[in-house]
Amino acid sequence: MSYLVLARKWRPRRFAELVGQEHVVRALTNALETGRVHHAFLFTGTRGVGKTTIARIFAKSLNCERGTSADPCGECETCKAIDAGRYIDLLEIDAASNTGVDNVRELIENAQYMPSRGRYKVYLIDEVHMLSKAAFNALLKTLEEPPEHVKFLFATTDPEKLLVTVLSRCLQFNLKRLDEAQIRGQIAKILAAENIEADEDAVAQLAKAADGSLRDGLSLLDQAIAYTGGRLDGEAVAAMLGTVDRSRVQALLAALADGDGARLLDEAAQLAEFSPDWASILDAFAQALHRIQVKQLVPGVDVGSDAIDVETLATRLRPELVQLWYQMALNGRRDLGYAPSPRSGFEMTLLRMLAFRPDAPGAQATMPQPQPATAHTASQSSQARADAAARARAAMAEAAPASPQAPPPAPVSAPIAAPVSAPAEMPIAPKPRVADVAPAGHAYASAASTMLVTDTEHWLELVARCGLRGPAKLLAENAAFLAHGDGVLKLSLAPEQEHLKSPSLVLQLCDAIGRQLGGDVQVRFEIGQPRGETANVRNARERDARQSDAESGFAADPAIQRLVQAHGAQIVPDSIRPLDRS
Ligand SMILES: [Zn+2]
């Protein structure tokens, strides 16, 4: 038996066999039965949902030799020719692949001629918005005064691109993507009719991979039959699809629910043997958790069935834990690229989930129970997310897998500048104003540095090599040295630069200087005209010196002097740059 033709073999030949699109079928059937068939239909929607099939059944209905009806005979020469895709009065045009071809225009212009064999010419123009301009104009012209013997079926995935003049002349239908249950049902029906064994998981995976397109689903089914040699099981289909075997995900979830870390890592190791795409596994994980949550919170909804034991997991796991794990799966997937290796990133995500099981390691999993203080509902997912993030941070800080029932909202990872409150004014000396910014508990809480800044030269040297950047560098370069003693470095800052003295910049300065001196440094600023030289002033002075050296050197050059004296050349001010300047 030939397997590679299921989509064709099982293409519906009657409206009654069509899967989905009931609204379209009803409208067309009514029109055919009352004899009032509109001359142009527009089908919008994605690919593989039945446009060609509908067009062919429609063409048969119109042209069947036993008379126009919604249920063509399927046996006459006309019906057979249409089913075989070789009927001269059914013109199938794919505008996406024929945009530049001139004969599309001709084909459309030929609409005015009577059909060769049947009663009606039926045009099926796919991706009609992509017709060439010439063809489109021909179409518009025909649509303005459509001949009685012509029916147009247009299809597009992008109706926005169609002119209103076309839209207004068509009956428009939106073809729906098929849902997984519909595709699953059709695949199961075909497998039964073809006498092919398959387990439920395999069928579910194919239906999911079809992504709303029955045609894609059936060609995947063809492949799967060829791949497995005729007996479809979940593992083989997963291997073929390059997707994750759900039974593996089930095993991971069960190990997590049991709090069995050893089994969890063992399952991960087994997965690793297949060099899987770890991101897809986390996807499958999140999908499974989604179904479990739906089962928990909206029990009436069909969540499908495959190798994931949704029922059991839904009763074993607490709803808010499912939320948390879901978030961890998403975050883990996002962060895979940052992990030392994808596998370690994957394992770490699983271990994080293990760390947040509410029960201590070794304890058996419990039935759902209310959790005080942090009871979430699905609608509080953003809160759950925030909690999840906070708990994740707490977990990483703790490094211990045993996590308490409900960790307090994390006090960790507060911004570095937090300890620095608003700078307290220190009324040591009324004039000049003194602003004290002495970060008490920052990183150098060890001991005051023993090394002192001795003078302006030393200070400028420190500024040059302390490695500050951006605004903190500006602050350092605009500060002049005053004194250093008792762990306090006094600097002066001009009033116009006072804005640089923000707590976070001062903290960066303290850290950088502290690193240079090997100890804790507090910095106190006096606001007033700097008495010593600042790095900024020093740099400007050196720049000016280099500039005037360059200018005088240039002017003293004998060749330049000759040009000036003999030929009246003039040196343009500011046009000379020192050579060493980048
Ligand atoms: Zn017929």
Side-chain angles (χ1 to χ4, degrees):
M1 128 173 74
S2 165
Y3 288 122
L4 297 173
V5 288
L6 285 181
R8 217 177 310 154
K9 183 173 174 190
W10 285 88
R11 188 195 280 282
R13 307 197 172 208
R14 306 166 57 215
F15 283 126
E17 292 169 3
L18 205 69
V19 180
Q21 322 304 357
E22 290 82 1
H23 58 306
V24 181
V25 169
R26 201 175 313 125
L28 291 179
T29 305
N30 285 342
L32 286 162
E33 281 171 358
T34 56
R36 284 195 296 267
V37 181
H38 201 264
H39 62 272
F41 296 84
L42 174 64
F43 299 136
T44 60
T46 54
R47 42 187 296 283
V49 292
K51 285 174 302 217
T52 309
T53 302
I54 290 173
R56 288 194 180 168
I57 301 173
F58 187 60
K60 279 193 292 187
S61 299
L62 289 170
N63 284 320
C64 176
E65 291 165 21
R66 299 193 189 161
T68 296
S69 81
D71 198 10
C73 75
E75 290 162 358
C76 66
E77 282 310 308
T78 298
C79 284
K80 282 184 184 166
I82 292 173
D83 280 338
R86 49 172 175 80
Y87 185 65
I88 194 164
D89 289 320
L90 172 62
L91 297 106
E92 295 183 25
I93 299 165
D94 180 4
S97 56
N98 276 311
T99 42
V101 178
D102 198 48
N103 71 1
V104 173
R105 196 200 67 201
E106 263 174 54
L107 279 177
I108 292 170
E109 282 173 346
N110 286 345
Q112 57 189 302
Y113 301 118
M114 290 303 287
S116 309
R117 282 180 60 186
R119 291 181 289 275
Y120 294 95
K121 271 187 176 173
V122 179
Y123 283 79
L124 170 63
I125 306 181
D126 205 0
E127 297 297 2
V128 62
H129 66 277
M130 292 176 83
L131 279 180
S132 71
K133 203 158 181 241
F136 200 81
N137 286 336
L139 181 63
L140 272 181
K141 223 163 146 194
T142 313
L143 276 178
E144 274 167 19
E145 285 179 60
E148 273 299 311
H149 59 268
V150 174
K151 303 294 174 197
F152 285 105
L153 301 178
F154 303 128
T156 178
T157 48
D158 199 355
E160 309 274 305
K161 292 218 179 93
L162 276 179
L163 293 179
V164 179
T165 42
V166 172
L167 291 175
S168 64
R169 289 177 161 82
C170 297
L171 277 183
Q172 191 174 334
F173 293 100
N174 187 17
L175 295 188
K176 294 176 191 155
R177 283 160 48 91
L178 276 69
D179 63 32
E180 274 178 49
Q182 287 172 319
I183 297 177
R184 215 160 54 212
Q186 186 67 4
I187 289 178
K189 187 172 139 196
I190 291 173
L191 284 169
E194 298 280 337
N195 241 331
I196 296 167
E197 272 183 78
D199 65 32
E200 234 177 285
D201 186 33
V203 175
Q205 287 186 55
L206 290 169
K208 186 168 199 64
D211 195 25
S213 159
L214 184 56
R215 185 174 66 208
D216 289 355
L218 295 189
S219 64
L220 287 172
L221 177 58
D222 274 331
Q223 283 179 41
I225 293 167
Y227 184 88
T228 58
R231 202 207 161 293
L232 277 63
D233 64 64
E235 202 169 338
V237 169
M240 182 201 88
L241 292 172
T243 54
V244 182
D245 182 0
R246 302 298 149 104
S247 60
R248 296 275 173 210
V249 175
Q250 166 65 24
L252 290 168
L253 278 167
L256 270 176
D258 290 343
D260 189 338
R263 214 169 85 221
L264 191 66
L265 288 186
D266 187 49
E267 286 293 339
Q270 286 187 38
L271 270 170
E273 285 173 22
F274 298 95
S275 320
D277 175 10
W278 297 104
S280 314
I281 302 178
L282 287 175
D283 273 350
F285 219 88
Q287 279 163 5
L289 289 166
H290 167 236
R291 288 164 60 205
I292 291 166
Q293 184 91 103
V294 169
K295 188 89 217 162
Q296 289 172 329
L297 301 181
V298 199
V301 172
D302 175 26
V303 292
S305 60
D306 55 17
I308 309 282
D309 189 356
V310 174
E311 290 274 348
T312 306
L313 288 165
T315 50
R316 288 192 64 188
L317 301 170
R318 292 212 320 263
E320 59 277 18
L321 184 66
V322 174
Q323 277 287 327
L324 193 60
W325 283 0
Y326 178 83
Q327 203 56 44
M328 287 175 174
L330 293 193
N331 290 345
R333 186 189 191 288
R334 185 197 61 201
D335 294 342
L336 273 184
Y338 300 112
S341 72
R343 180 179 171 183
S344 67
F346 176 78
E347 289 188 357
M348 201 56 193
T349 303
L350 293 185
L351 291 172
R352 199 174 303 149
M353 293 176 186
L354 187 67
F356 284 95
R357 273 182 78 261
D359 309 299
Q364 70 275 43
T366 55
M367 296 292 285
Q369 53 187 232
Q371 186 183 26
T374 54
H376 313 296
T377 65
S379 67
Q380 288 171 307
S381 62
S382 67
Q383 180 59 38
R385 201 152 49 231
D387 281 8
R391 293 188 202 183
R393 283 199 296 273
M396 283 181 267
E398 280 170 17
S403 181
Q405 176 87 2
V412 289
S413 107
I416 296 168
V420 184
S421 51
E425 296 287 327
M426 294 272 289
I428 291 173
K431 246 198 221 178
R433 263 190 317 127
V434 173
D436 175 53
V437 187
H442 74 94
Y444 294 92
S446 49
S449 78
T450 45
M451 203 171 130
L452 294 178
V453 182
T454 50
D455 55 14
T456 292
E457 284 307 314
H458 189 190
W459 164 245
L460 295 179
E461 188 195 322
L462 284 172
V463 171
R465 60 164 204 239
C466 70
L468 283 171
R469 312 181 66 167
K473 179 167 182 258
L474 265 188
L475 173 64
E477 287 179 346
N478 280 288
F481 174 75
L482 291 177
H484 190 191
D486 299 328
V488 177
L489 173 62
K490 285 190 195 165
L491 301 170
S492 71
L493 193 65
E496 63 268 25
Q497 307 293 352
E498 197 183 350
H499 64 277
L500 291 169
K501 195 178 57 60
S502 77
S504 74
L505 296 185
V506 173
L507 191 67
Q508 289 178 48
L509 180 66
C510 288
D511 281 353
I513 300 299
R515 266 197 302 274
Q516 294 292 323
L517 299 178
D520 195 10
V521 173
Q522 291 185 25
V523 172
R524 188 171 299 163
F525 282 102
E526 285 185 7
I527 304 302
Q529 283 316 313
R531 278 170 269 162
E533 195 172 40
T534 66
N536 209 14
V537 171
R538 165 73 56 95
N539 292 342
R541 186 161 60 79
E542 287 177 355
R543 206 159 46 232
D544 287 351
R546 279 202 306 278
Q547 180 67 25
S548 58
D549 280 358
E551 283 172 11
S552 57
F554 188 80
D557 187 290
I560 300 298
Q561 286 183 345
R562 240 188 338 272
L563 281 173
V564 172
Q565 285 159 9
H567 303 286
Q570 286 186 332
I571 296 172
V572 178
D574 298 330
S575 67
I576 298 162
R577 296 284 175 269
L579 273 177
D580 59 349
R581 190 120 149 242
S582 54

